[in-house]
Amino acid sequence: MLENYFPVLLFIAVGLAVGVAPLVLGRLAAPHRPDDAKLSPYECGFEAFEDARMKFDVRYYLVAILFILFDLEIAFLFPWAVVLKEIGVFGFVSMLVFLSILVVGFIYEWMKGALEWE
Amino acid sequence: MMELLQTIEQAGQGLLGPFWGPLWTLVKIVVIVAPIMGGVAYLTLAERKILGYMQDRVGPNRVGYWGLLQPIADGVKLLMKEIIIPTGANKFLFVAAPVLALVPALVAWAVVPFADGMILANVNAGLLYILAMTSLGVYGIIIAGWASNSKYAFLGAIRSAAQIVSYELAMGFALVCVLLAAQSMSLVDIVKGQQHGYGLLGWYFIPLFPMFVVYFIAGVAETNRAPFDLAEDESVIVAGFHTEYSGMGFALFFLAEYANMILISALTSVFFLGGWLNPFEGWPVLGAMTAWVPGLFWMLAKMSVFLFIFLWFRATFPRYRYDQLMRLGWKVFIPLTLVWVVVVAAWMQTPLWFW
């Protein structure tokens, strides 16, 4: 069973090599002549003012939180989906109860305007 | 062909003993990665050519016959460009981000079957592995945006992160439907579950048609392709998360984006269009006429169709506005997929389920 995963591990190593090699080659083959103007962050020709890691809209946090809720939901659904044929109507009904609770929450956030981006 | 492979395998075993296994796996990995990299290079040419003809131009035609050497020229040019690390950037993360974007796009291929038996690692949780790897791609983008210490890069990164996680949900629910139909997480079993002896009528795109459409569109959004390319949005935030990248750093993001496009095309073919299966299998006349065609051909043909649709989208649709993008993801796709999970599950309890 686990030896099936050995090629995957090796693939990750090869993938990392494929990713790192061009950067190393680029560093070696390309010129390297840094100066102040070249290294300044791009801001349409202006001197960069204030920190770039600034405050951003709270909605992005909200999306991330909602994502975690729904993604967990999907993680619960995966094993259920694989065995649904064996557990039959009982499994179907219990997941229906579970999903309906999720849907109530989904409708609530929708009505609250958590999904609005004006 | 098979006999030749077996002879090589035996000879290698005798010659190298225990080192042979890993070495042979390494060879297989190279055989997968090299065509993908070549495919990525020529996909960029195909994109420029197809966009060109769609806009009544001819596209690149100067480097080599019919522009065929253009991707190589582009690669060499990018290699010779200075890698600039801006002041105030977090150096380590800045360099690591493009690698982190590319690696998941490549390693996901470990569990993709190209034809019957042509698969690197037939793991029984293949679909979970795919989901895990494609989710990792977002880290490359968000780290790039944060490490650059540039406002445009930062805005591109948070936009992109919110977009990718939103569409991943729709993608996940669509995959739950595939799992319901296939009863297995192994990609090989998912393809074999679509083999019923009546060709393309047995594939999952028929019972799961809405999911097929949602999965592909969510895939377009996941790869940050037009019309969902708000992460780079060049008319608003310069180049988005890779504003500060030059030379090979930029090239790696480019490779990652195109490798992801090819991956999404392959996965859509495997989940909904029967992977390597012959669409005319078991049909009168046509079935017998196409019986000799190898499975690899069908797989590649299906992938090419999806890749063409990717490019076609880019030529046809204007970019979404951010609120429209989020509305589509959360208010259309998620409710639709949620309902369809229940519909498919209920459908499977009845004798009317033929798949």
Side-chain angles (χ1 to χ4, degrees):
Chain A
M1 220 297 279
L2 265 184
E3 66 262 19
N4 276 347
Y5 286 88
F6 173 72
V8 174
L9 198 68
L10 206 61
F11 207 133
I12 292 173
V14 172
L16 279 172
V18 171
V20 172
L23 284 174
V24 175
L25 274 177
R27 182 68 179 74
L28 295 176
H32 188 64
R33 288 187 289 274
D35 64 56
D36 273 358
K38 199 192 271 177
L39 295 187
S40 64
Y42 179 75
E43 221 158 276
C44 303
F46 288 100
E47 295 281 331
F49 50 95
E50 70 183 61
D51 193 17
R53 284 140 195 175
M54 53 202 170
K55 281 183 270 185
F56 57 90
D57 203 317
V58 70
R59 285 199 195 92
Y60 289 105
Y61 288 108
L62 202 58
V63 166
I65 292 167
L66 292 175
F67 163 72
I68 293 173
L69 289 179
F70 278 86
D71 212 34
L72 269 178
E73 189 73 23
I74 293 170
F76 285 138
L77 280 171
F78 267 13
W80 166 79
V82 173
V83 295
L84 180 66
K85 254 193 190 134
E86 288 153 46
I87 54 180
V89 177
F90 173 72
F92 174 67
V93 172
S94 31
M95 190 45 88
L96 214 58
V97 173
F98 186 48
L99 275 180
S100 56
I101 295 169
L102 174 85
V103 167
V104 170
F106 187 61
I107 293 170
Y108 174 76
E109 61 165 277
W110 192 324
M111 292 300 149
K112 270 282 181 187
L115 304 177
E116 304 299 329
W117 293 72
E118 66 282 341
Chain B
M1 187 66 196
M2 276 297 155
E3 283 166 25
L4 183 72
L5 282 177
Q6 249 161 24
T7 327
I8 296 177
E9 193 132 26
Q10 273 162 8
Q13 210 106 49
L15 210 64
L16 293 167
F19 298 108
W20 172 249
L23 192 74
W24 187 234
T25 314
L26 210 61
V27 170
K28 285 186 193 161
I29 291 171
V30 171
V31 170
I32 294 175
V33 170
I36 292 169
M37 292 317 233
V40 166
Y42 279 87
L43 183 57
T44 63
L45 178 68
E47 169 164 43
R48 293 167 68 179
K49 276 284 179 191
I50 290 169
L51 280 181
Y53 282 110
M54 281 181 177
Q55 296 163 354
D56 212 1
R57 307 179 276 118
V58 290
N61 65 346
R62 287 290 191 276
V63 191
Y65 176 71
W66 206 63
L68 280 178
L69 297 179
Q70 185 70 45
I72 296 164
D74 287 342
V76 172
K77 186 199 81 177
L78 282 169
L79 186 67
M80 305 311 268
K81 292 287 176 190
E82 181 172 351
I83 296 173
I84 298 166
I85 300 177
T87 46
N90 183 320
K91 281 205 176 64
F92 174 71
L93 289 179
F94 187 81
V95 176
V99 180
L100 224 79
L102 179 67
V103 172
L106 285 180
V107 296
W109 286 95
V111 297
V112 176
F114 295 93
D116 203 1
M118 263 176 82
I119 178 170
L120 182 71
N122 186 9
V123 298
N124 52 7
L127 199 138
L128 280 182
Y129 173 76
I130 292 272
L131 212 67
M133 283 304 147
T134 47
S135 314
L136 280 179
V138 68
Y139 283 104
I141 289 173
I142 203 163
I143 289 175
W146 188 83
S148 296
N149 193 30
S150 157
K151 281 172 196 139
Y152 297 112
F154 183 72
L155 286 173
I158 51 171
R159 275 187 181 197
S160 168
Q163 170 188 341
I164 290 179
V165 297
S166 301
Y167 280 83
E168 206 168 285
L169 294 175
M171 236 173 169
F173 279 122
L175 288 184
V176 169
C177 292
V178 173
L179 280 179
L180 277 171
Q183 304 285 303
S184 168
M185 290 204 196
S186 152
L187 268 64
V188 173
D189 290 347
I190 290 174
V191 172
K192 286 189 174 153
Q194 305 180 55
Q195 193 163 28
H196 297 283
Y198 33 88
L200 58 87
L201 296 177
W203 297 351
Y204 292 149
F205 78 100
I206 294 180
L208 307 179
F209 189 74
M211 296 303 97
F212 167 54
V213 176
V214 166
Y215 184 83
F216 186 67
I217 294 175
V220 176
E222 288 273 292
T223 47
N224 285 318
R225 292 289 304 179
F228 305 106
D229 53 348
L230 279 105
E232 22 193 294
D233 208 351
E234 68 275 1
S235 50
V236 182
I237 49 173
V238 191
F241 64 93
H242 58 55
T243 303
E244 298 292 342
Y245 281 86
S246 63
M248 272 295 151
F250 171 76
L252 286 185
F253 278 121
F254 217 71
L255 284 176
E257 179 177 329
Y258 283 79
N260 268 324
M261 281 165 69
I262 303 179
L263 181 68
I264 292 290
S265 307
L267 292 178
T268 316
S269 317
V270 166
F271 294 144
F272 298 99
L273 289 188
W276 69 79
L277 300 179
N278 182 340
F280 309 117
E281 190 186 15
W283 287 21
V285 195
L286 269 175
M289 270 167 66
T290 54
W292 57 273
V293 180
L296 185 63
F297 170 82
W298 294 117
M299 180 72 187
L300 293 179
K302 288 164 191 170
M303 284 166 63
S304 311
V305 170
F306 286 120
L307 286 172
F308 181 75
I309 295 173
F310 261 105
L311 306 182
W312 196 359
F313 274 0
R314 177 161 176 196
T316 306
F317 297 120
R319 183 179 293 131
Y320 268 74
R321 220 169 49 214
Y322 204 75
D323 61 319
Q324 295 169 328
L325 174 94
M326 294 312 249
R327 202 187 73 85
L328 182 70
W330 285 94
K331 294 190 175 174
V332 179
F333 281 178
I334 291 178
L336 179 68
T337 47
L338 256 172
V339 168
W340 208 258
V341 167
V342 177
V343 168
V344 171
W347 191 355
M348 281 177 63
Q349 308 302 319
T350 69
L352 292 169
W353 178 260
F354 302 113
W355 292 270

